[in-house]
Amino acid sequence: MLQPVTRPFDTPAGTIEAVVDGDVTRAMGIPYARAARFAPPEPQPAFAEPFRADTPAPVPPQPTALLVDQLLPRMDHLRVDEHCQRLTVTVPSDVGADDRLPVMVWIHGGSYVLGGGDLPIHDAHDLVTEQRVVVVTVTYRLGVLGFLGDGGSVPANLGLLDLVEALRWVQRNIAAFGGDPGTVTVFGQSAGGDAAAHLMISDGARGLFRRAIVQSAPLGLSRGRARMNRAMVRAVGTVAEDAPLDTVLERQELATKAGARYGLAGGMPFGTQYGFAPLPAERDTDRAWRAVAPDVDVLIGSGSDEAGTYVPLVPGLGRAARSRLVRPLLRWLLVRPLTEVIYGRDARRFARRHRAAGGRATVYRLLRHPSVVPVGAVHMSDLPLLLGGREVWGGSRFVPERDLAEVERRGRAFRAVWAEFARTGTVTAPDDETLVFDRG
């Protein structure tokens, strides 16, 4: 078997041997931090020997998810490891030592309990080759190991602290890959978009990035969570540092059930906790976002029918949604109002506050799913347009083979908008059938 062609990059972190894959080169699974269970991350020491970056990052421990199994390509072959603080750097294969390309740091979604940076659906090949950018995909701790704590025996926001440490690694090392540390954009979808917004006000993150793209972030669920979080902490109890991962996930399920009693917020019970490092108290968040507004350009938005993704999972509604008579009623009486409350309303508020405080903010709205037959843009409709590619998405229930040509056509324009914002902080593309913009 032929060994892959490698290319060394001499970085402050040590020599990193990346894998050349045609017109992109990938340095995969680079450790950016290390941490014991329930402990804050510490920077990864420099490599004494060349690090062979040829293995994707492991995924954090996580439960199975019906939605993921139903809609997305199978991803059950990936390695699981709670020590998952790793990142992957993807660059054009012809990148030179003197290049200073825009850097885009991807934060995956998954309700803070699912996913991983190196899942195939997050492959950055097309974005890197078409737009000549550097893309960094980050894997961070999730669930009870990353986003639940009492602030005492178990720190809160460990996953967010992981992301801050990843951004520090990018600042120190990305120039060696041809990236510009002064032109870093964090971008994320769903919980990843929520994390991107909260990184803006995270202690220690100021100056680590210039721009933020906040995609389909459930900002409407981010406030008033303290009581729910305390109930979840009580449900988990004490988890030994050497407890098996199966036990950890069993305790996580207890926390999920405890959170389910708290209305809409219980639909995403794990997440950022205000008042614990690195975040301010909830009463101070508006002031914190206003303070950073002049320093961070923002592109923020969501789809027209985000909540439609979850309709098939509600008993009885999935069958009703297949009826041509009932479907419009569900859309206007349930999907659109929920989409507004969870995603749309707070995104617009975020942008208005940002502009009022002297920052630049563009609001986008994704109008339709990337399909041949026009349907509303449900949650995750943006992912096939941005990352992954036809080999990953083609034939999945989310992107049937018949829709591949449409996804490729619209995806190229979509990626151009995201990359233009990463380069300039502005969007000059006109409104079209996919996206409309409010530029303030």
Side-chain angles (χ1 to χ4, degrees):
M1 182 176 178
L2 293 176
Q3 292 295 317
V5 176
T6 60
R7 174 181 174 182
F9 290 89
D10 293 323
T11 79
T15 298
I16 296 172
E17 296 180 345
V19 176
V20 179
D21 182 13
D23 47 9
V24 299
T25 295
R26 297 183 177 91
M28 296 181 284
I30 305 169
Y32 62 84
R34 57 185 182 179
R37 182 181 289 179
F38 301 130
E42 298 177 352
Q44 175 72 23
F47 304 116
E49 300 291 334
F51 178 80
R52 192 171 180 86
D54 61 356
T55 304
V59 295
Q62 54 196 268
T64 56
L66 179 61
L67 176 66
V68 173
D69 292 342
Q70 284 185 347
L71 294 179
L72 302 184
R74 291 188 64 84
M75 293 171 279
D76 54 6
H77 61 289
L78 296 170
R79 182 168 59 94
V80 176
D81 189 343
E82 68 176 287
H83 303 292
C84 59
Q85 293 96 339
R86 293 177 180 251
L87 55 79
T88 289
V89 182
T90 304
V91 301
S93 285
D94 64 353
V95 71
D98 296 330
D99 278 330
R100 288 294 178 266
L101 304 182
V103 180
M104 302 181 70
V105 180
W106 173 249
I107 306 172
H108 71 81
S111 297
Y112 289 113
V113 294
L114 299 170
D118 282 352
L119 295 182
I121 59 171
H122 302 146
D123 181 69
H125 175 277
D126 292 350
L127 181 59
V128 168
T129 56
E130 292 170 8
Q131 298 302 322
R132 197 163 179 76
V133 295
V134 172
V135 174
V136 181
T137 54
V138 182
T139 298
Y140 55 102
R141 284 175 286 183
L142 300 174
V144 74
L145 296 172
F147 285 94
L148 184 67
D150 58 11
S153 58
V154 177
N157 300 318
L158 288 171
L160 196 63
L161 291 169
D162 287 349
L163 291 170
V164 173
E165 201 59 54
L167 289 169
R168 289 178 177 143
W169 189 97
V170 169
Q171 278 295 312
R172 292 192 299 266
N173 295 282
I174 207 64
F177 293 92
D180 181 359
T183 312
V184 175
T185 299
V186 294
F187 69 132
Q189 185 268 346
S190 192
D194 185 78
H198 284 91
L199 282 168
M200 291 172 60
I201 56 171
S202 291
D203 186 37
R206 195 158 191 172
L208 297 182
F209 57 97
R210 182 67 186 86
R211 300 185 175 101
I213 304 177
V214 181
Q215 302 173 219
S216 301
L219 296 174
L221 306 182
S222 64
R223 300 183 303 277
R225 299 169 61 88
R227 187 163 167 249
M228 178 182 72
N229 291 150
R230 290 193 294 269
M232 292 169 65
V233 168
R234 289 194 298 269
V236 171
T238 301
V239 180
E241 291 185 6
D242 59 352
L245 286 178
D246 286 347
T247 300
V248 173
L249 291 176
E250 288 171 3
R251 296 294 184 88
Q252 180 168 312
E253 178 61 23
L254 293 176
T256 301
K257 291 179 179 178
R261 299 193 293 269
Y262 289 83
L264 276 180
M268 192 183 77
F270 292 91
T272 52
Q273 292 177 253
Y274 297 129
F276 299 103
L279 292 175
E282 184 166 349
R283 64 180 177 275
D284 297 326
T285 54
D286 268 9
R287 186 186 312 146
W289 268 307
R290 289 178 183 277
V292 300
D295 301 328
V296 182
D297 303 324
V298 169
L299 174 61
I300 187 169
S302 58
S304 60
D305 295 86
E306 297 270 355
T309 294
Y310 307 107
V311 167
L313 303 182
V314 179
L317 288 185
R319 183 179 302 172
R322 290 193 288 270
S323 166
R324 291 185 178 181
L325 294 177
V326 176
R327 194 181 304 136
L329 291 175
L330 283 176
R331 186 181 193 187
W332 291 105
L333 298 179
L334 179 64
V335 171
R336 286 284 174 92
L338 274 178
T339 296
E340 177 68 1
V341 168
I342 298 172
Y343 303 99
R345 180 182 60 193
D346 283 79
R348 295 192 299 275
R349 286 176 178 170
F350 194 103
R352 286 196 299 269
R353 176 185 59 213
H354 197 79
R355 292 166 181 161
R360 294 195 298 180
T362 301
V363 181
Y364 75 87
R365 189 166 186 242
L366 186 66
L367 297 179
R368 48 176 284 196
H369 184 71
S371 57
V372 174
V373 179
V375 294
V378 299
H379 199 57
M380 299 186 295
S381 289
D382 48 349
L383 284 184
L385 299 172
L386 185 60
L387 300 167
R390 68 177 298 137
E391 291 185 2
V392 173
W393 289 105
S396 69
R397 289 184 61 181
F398 206 61
V399 182
E401 291 284 350
R402 67 177 187 182
D403 292 338
L404 271 176
E406 185 72 1
V407 169
E408 290 186 326
R409 179 182 72 84
R410 295 171 57 213
R412 185 174 289 271
F414 190 98
R415 291 185 289 273
V417 171
W418 260 229
E420 179 194 27
F421 179 81
R423 283 190 293 269
T424 69
T426 60
V427 174
T428 61
D431 295 356
D432 61 16
E433 80 237 57
T434 303
L435 291 165
V436 294
F437 301 99
D438 168 14
R439 298 172 174 84

